[in-house]
Amino acid sequence: MTLSASTTRAVDLRVEPVEEILGHVEGSLQTRLERDTVVRKRRSVGARTGRDTWVRIERRGLDRIGVQGWNGTECAARLEGIAQPEWQGSVVWRDRDEPVMWRADETELLPGTPIGTAVLSDDPKLSDEWWQAFNTSMDRLAAQDTRRIATPDTVTITQALVTESIRSVFSDDFDTTVELWVPAHADLNWANMTAPTFRLFDWEDWGNAPQGLDSASLWSSSLAVPALADRVRLERRCDFESRDGKLMTLFVCSKILGPDAHPQDPRLEPARRLAEQIVAELQTG
């Protein structure tokens, strides 16, 4: 049963006071969080511990926690053959004053730094070995078995969501039915992978999704660097050439081209060009 919740206050943890939260985690996990390593994002905070591990803390409204719970990083620990940091443990608690939950997951340290922000503006110049490791993990992830449903942007992905998102921007004269659902990371972007050694982290939203969601998401995060976007399409061409992969490309394009589009977004024109091509292909079957 989904936890009931009143309206959750919008919070940006980049500016919200978090010292009390850090102290709570330290007491629960029995370790020190090194304050000079704290990384603050909109809905999560991370820090290195005194025992050389990493702790990621996330705040999530009860209305965003579905029937499958909120333990993606923990559940991802059972995935086989995927380059990810080893999960160590967690602590979860409900906020005393607001309809939100907090969760802290402890993992081993990453072998390198995150490649960049979610959307890149410069080519990271990744090696062929990196791309090989990336492809291996993506292929093995898609071959796993799970009952989890992916929650990109903390929203459960469904056929209805796919159709609604695509129809909000594009024509309605082609079928949007998804044929193949496979396990996906569901938050695949350049801020959640490391280099030069490949690791994929932040697994809280993973689960079954239409084939090609991850590939399309990474492509959309690369559009400001045309050569990188082309490389993503080349490396994951098996996804992009599939019908579901084309639908997922339109799905991510709908977020770029929708009513909240920023006129200065460098991704607008390349997203529009490919979307028009895909719509034409889907219309002709």
Side-chain angles (χ1 to χ4, degrees), residues 22 26 32-41 45-56 109 114:
L22 298 180
E26 288 177 319
R32 183 184 74 259
L33 298 180
E34 299 179 356
R35 298 303 193 270
D36 60 344
T37 67
V38 170
V39 175
R40 300 176 64 150
K41 299 182 180 180
V45 178
R48 184 171 182 151
T49 74
R51 53 181 174 235
D52 289 333
T53 57
W54 185 263
V55 169
R56 180 185 184 276
L109 290 174

Side-chain angles (χ1 to χ4, degrees), residues 219 222 225-235:
W219 169 79
S222 311
V225 186
L228 182 61
D230 289 344
R231 183 68 185 265
V232 172
R233 284 184 58 81
L234 174 65
E235 295 291 338

Side-chain angles (χ1 to χ4, degrees), residues 2 29 70 101 133 169 200 276:
T2 304
L29 295 180
W70 179 33
M101 298 283 285
V169 176
L200 177 57
E276 290 175 353

Side-chain angles (χ1 to χ4, degrees), residues 116-170:
T117 55
V119 177
L120 286 188
S121 57
D122 296 302
D123 192 336
K125 301 187 185 306
L126 300 166
S127 67
D128 290 341
E129 290 76 16
W130 186 95
W131 285 105
Q132 182 178 1
F134 164 76
N135 280 322
T136 296
S137 284
M138 290 296 97
D139 292 343
R140 289 178 176 172
L141 174 58
Q144 306 284 325
D145 180 51
T146 183
R147 294 182 180 178
R148 290 181 56 84
I149 304 299
T151 55
D153 297 322
T154 73
V155 178
T156 301
I157 192 165
T158 62
Q159 177 64 66
L161 177 64
V162 171
T163 298
E164 179 183 351
S165 299
I166 293 175
R167 292 280 185 260
S168 69
V169 176
F170 306 107

Side-chain angles (χ1 to χ4, degrees), residues 29 51-54 73 77 85-90 105-109:
L29 295 180
R51 53 181 174 235
D52 289 333
T53 57
W54 185 263
T73 301
E86 182 178 319
W87 181 78
Q88 308 286 337
S90 66
D105 285 285
E106 184 177 6
T107 64
E108 68 176 338
L109 290 174

Side-chain angles (χ1 to χ4, degrees), residues 211 233-234 236-246 249 281:
Q211 179 188 5
R233 284 184 58 81
L234 174 65
R236 303 306 301 166
R237 56 189 176 277
C238 57
D239 287 333
F240 287 105
E241 291 173 355
S242 70
R243 188 177 186 283
D244 291 329
K246 293 176 182 179
T249 302
E281 292 173 356

Side-chain angles (χ1 to χ4, degrees), residues 56 68-79 84-92 103-107 148 202-206:
R56 180 185 184 276
Q68 70 185 2
W70 179 33
N71 58 349
T73 301
E74 179 180 349
C75 289
R78 61 172 286 274
L79 298 175
Q84 61 171 313
E86 182 178 319
W87 181 78
Q88 308 286 337
S90 66
V91 58
V92 185
R103 180 182 179 98
D105 285 285
E106 184 177 6
T107 64
R148 290 181 56 84
D202 279 8
W203 286 85
E204 63 274 8
D205 292 316
W206 80 278

